[in-house]
């Protein structure tokens, strides 16, 4: 399988664009034949079953392109001994929406025009996991042809730019090869002379047995989580307060750089001695109450070792959630 997938990358990225530059039907037909049948059927079914953001659903043609890009990303990860990631359909639709908005309004970066950062956008679409975003943009003096071959080439070049980074300015590259990522959402869009490409890397390590994403000020409630692996343990919860996002102009977005994955206001911090994990079910019930109107970006951390006493720190721990709770809205 690995040899075959490597051949797919070679043929689709470097041979087909030269032969079928504007013949989408032939390009798609050949691409589909190269993909393993079970892989194609699995993701096509997932794409049809996902109900969120139906207007940003990938066509079969774009889904095939993204599966090829997934192979390309996993080749990068394999070079650094990182396990492969799977394609996340919901995160891909969130990324599609961002790409379309950015290309149509000529901005680039990690905020949208509603003032939302990556973890806002994923959470507001129903996502519960931790997300880390890479963003790439491309433009030309003349309009781009909206062909499958252009999507393949531009997406590959966007990823190549991330992987070409050198330390210490290699945040996108480190995101691509982070060993705790296990899913990725892919977005791409061409509008006139603008192209946008987004990678939304997902850390999915928790099952949310029960969850609440909206509450009133002063309301007591609880969430229940369970590590997906029996050899991992819930270690900490940090909830960061922030105001509701405010609209931004393209110029304001273009003036920003990387985004912070936290805020300076820690509303709640819970540590391993406060998080009791049921030894049989593995479930942890976490009681919460927030005293101020706004958003609470709630990160739950996991450890590969059970807590045995002493001081605690999130350094080196696994981020297992990107839950955003709206309070008082």
């Amino acid at each position: 399988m690995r040899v075959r997938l490597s051949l797919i990358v070679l043929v689709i990225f470097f041979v087909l664009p030269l032969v079928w530059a504007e013949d989408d039907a032939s390009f798609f037909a050949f691409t589909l034949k190269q993909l393993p049948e079970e892989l194609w059927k699995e993701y096509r079914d997932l794409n049809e079953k996902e109900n969120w953001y139906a207007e940003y659903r990938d066509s079969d043609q774009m889904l095939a392109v993204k599966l090829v890009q997934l192979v390309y990303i996993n080749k990068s990860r394999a070079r650094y001994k990182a396990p492969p990631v799977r394609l996340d359909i919901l995160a891909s639709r969130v990324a599609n929406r961002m790409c379309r908005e950015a290309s149509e309004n000529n901005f680039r970066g990690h905020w949208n025009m509603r003032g939302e950062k990556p973890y806002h956008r994923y959470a507001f679409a129903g996502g519960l996991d931790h997300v880390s975003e890479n963003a790439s943009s491309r433009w030309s003096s003349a309009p781009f042809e909206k062909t499958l071959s252009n999507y393949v080439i531009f997406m590959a070049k966007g990823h190549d730019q991330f992987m070409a980074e050198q330390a210490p300015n290699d945040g996108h590259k480190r995101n691509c090869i982070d060993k705790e990522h296990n899913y990725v959402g892919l977005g791409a869009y061409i509008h006139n002379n603008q192209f946008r490409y987004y990678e939304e890397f997902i850390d999915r390590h928790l099952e949310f047995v029960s969850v609440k994403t909206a509450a009133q000020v002063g309301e007591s409630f609880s969430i229940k989580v369970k590590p997906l692996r029996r050899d991992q343990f819930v270690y900490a919860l940090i909830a960061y307060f922030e105001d509701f996002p405010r609209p931004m102009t393209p110029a304001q977005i273009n003036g920003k750089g990387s985004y912070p994955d936290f805020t300076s206001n820690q509303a709640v911090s819970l540590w391993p001695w406060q998080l009791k994990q049921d030894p049989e079910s593995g479930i942890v019930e976490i009681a919460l109450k927030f005293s101020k109107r706004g958003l609470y970006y709630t990160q739950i951390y996991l450890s590969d070792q059970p807590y045995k006493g002493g001081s605690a720190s999130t350094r080196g721990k696994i981020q297992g959630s990107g839950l955003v709770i709206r309070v008082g809205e």
Side-chain angles (χ1 to χ4, degrees):
M1 178 71 77
R2 181 175 298 174
V3 173
R4 182 182 176 188
L5 292 179
S6 297
L7 182 60
I8 292 173
V9 170
L10 175 64
V11 172
I12 293 178
F13 283 128
F14 301 108
V15 178
L16 292 191
L18 300 177
V19 179
W20 288 322
E22 297 181 7
D23 186 351
D24 279 358
S26 299
F27 192 100
F28 172 61
F30 188 90
T31 301
L32 204 57
K33 288 181 180 179
Q34 309 314 306
L35 292 171
E37 184 177 351
E38 66 277 11
L39 182 75
W40 170 247
K41 184 179 184 305
E42 176 188 3
Y43 281 109
R44 192 167 186 268
D45 289 345
L46 288 171
N47 196 35
E48 290 178 353
K49 291 176 182 176
E50 178 59 63
N51 294 320
W52 278 92
Y53 285 0
E55 63 271 37
Y56 299 101
R57 176 186 181 275
D58 283 312
S59 66
D60 283 354
Q61 289 85 351
M62 276 304 299
L63 180 61
V65 166
K66 289 186 178 181
L67 290 176
V68 172
Q69 182 73 358
L70 180 69
V71 174
Y72 199 54
I73 290 170
N74 281 330
K75 283 177 66 66
S76 295
R77 291 176 60 80
R79 288 199 299 272
Y80 291 86
K81 303 188 185 308
V85 291
R86 290 172 53 80
L87 185 68
D88 187 85
I89 300 298
L90 175 62
S92 294
R93 294 190 186 177
V94 173
N96 284 346
R97 184 184 187 189
M98 180 65 176
C99 288
R100 182 168 181 172
E101 182 179 327
S103 60
E104 289 181 346
N105 292 279
N106 194 18
F107 68 83
R108 60 191 181 278
H110 298 288
W111 281 259
N112 63 15
M113 293 178 68
R114 294 174 298 283
E116 297 165 350
K117 290 184 281 188
Y119 59 82
H120 295 137
R121 301 194 306 271
Y122 184 58
F124 295 164
L128 301 172
D129 313 298
H130 183 255
V131 60
S132 302
E133 181 177 87
N134 285 344
S136 173
S137 60
R138 185 183 184 94
W139 57 92
S140 171
S141 58
F144 293 123
E145 293 290 334
K146 211 168 184 178
T147 61
L148 291 183
S149 59
N150 267 350
Y151 274 108
V152 167
I153 294 168
F154 294 170
M155 290 168 70
K157 287 185 176 180
H159 181 72
D160 287 343
Q161 288 175 343
F162 301 147
M163 293 303 299
E165 292 177 345
Q166 300 292 321
N169 302 312
D170 60 343
H172 297 99
K173 179 180 179 179
R174 286 185 281 110
N175 193 23
C176 290
I177 60 177
D178 189 309
K179 294 182 179 180
E180 301 305 335
H181 298 334
N182 48 15
Y183 286 82
V184 67
L186 300 175
Y189 197 75
I190 293 173
H191 176 73
N192 292 333
N193 66 336
Q194 300 288 325
F195 171 76
R196 298 294 183 271
Y197 169 64
Y198 280 70
E199 296 175 345
E200 312 289 350
F201 284 99
I202 303 294
D203 304 319
R204 182 166 297 152
H205 301 289
L206 283 172
E207 174 189 350
F208 284 81
V209 180
S210 66
V211 66
K212 191 175 181 71
T213 58
Q216 296 302 313
V217 173
E219 176 185 353
S220 296
F221 64 97
S222 66
I223 61 175
K224 294 181 181 180
V225 297
K226 174 183 178 181
L228 293 176
R229 287 171 40 185
R230 294 290 294 181
D231 60 345
Q232 289 185 335
F233 306 87
V234 174
Y235 184 85
L237 178 147
I238 309 292
Y240 297 96
F241 169 80
E242 57 186 300
D243 291 322
F244 291 106
R246 296 178 180 177
M248 298 176 66
T249 66
Q252 288 174 319
I253 299 170
N254 287 335
K256 286 183 168 291
S258 60
Y259 69 96
D261 194 38
F262 55 88
T263 73
S264 60
N265 190 338
Q266 283 192 21
V268 175
S269 57
L270 299 173
W271 298 100
W273 54 86
Q274 299 168 290
L275 301 168
K276 303 303 181 183
Q277 193 160 331
D278 184 271
E280 296 298 323
S281 66
I283 293 174
V284 177
E285 183 172 7
I286 306 170
L288 294 170
K289 181 170 69 172
F290 299 115
S291 60
K292 187 177 179 181
R293 181 179 184 273
L295 297 180
Y296 292 82
Y297 179 35
T298 306
Q299 298 183 354
I300 300 174
Y301 290 83
L302 295 95
S303 173
D304 289 329
Q305 301 292 330
Y307 175 69
K308 296 181 180 178
S311 61
S313 168
T314 58
R315 184 181 297 275
K317 301 303 185 289
I318 301 163
Q319 287 181 288
S321 81
L323 176 65
V324 176
I325 302 172
R326 305 172 189 246
V327 174
E329 190 175 27

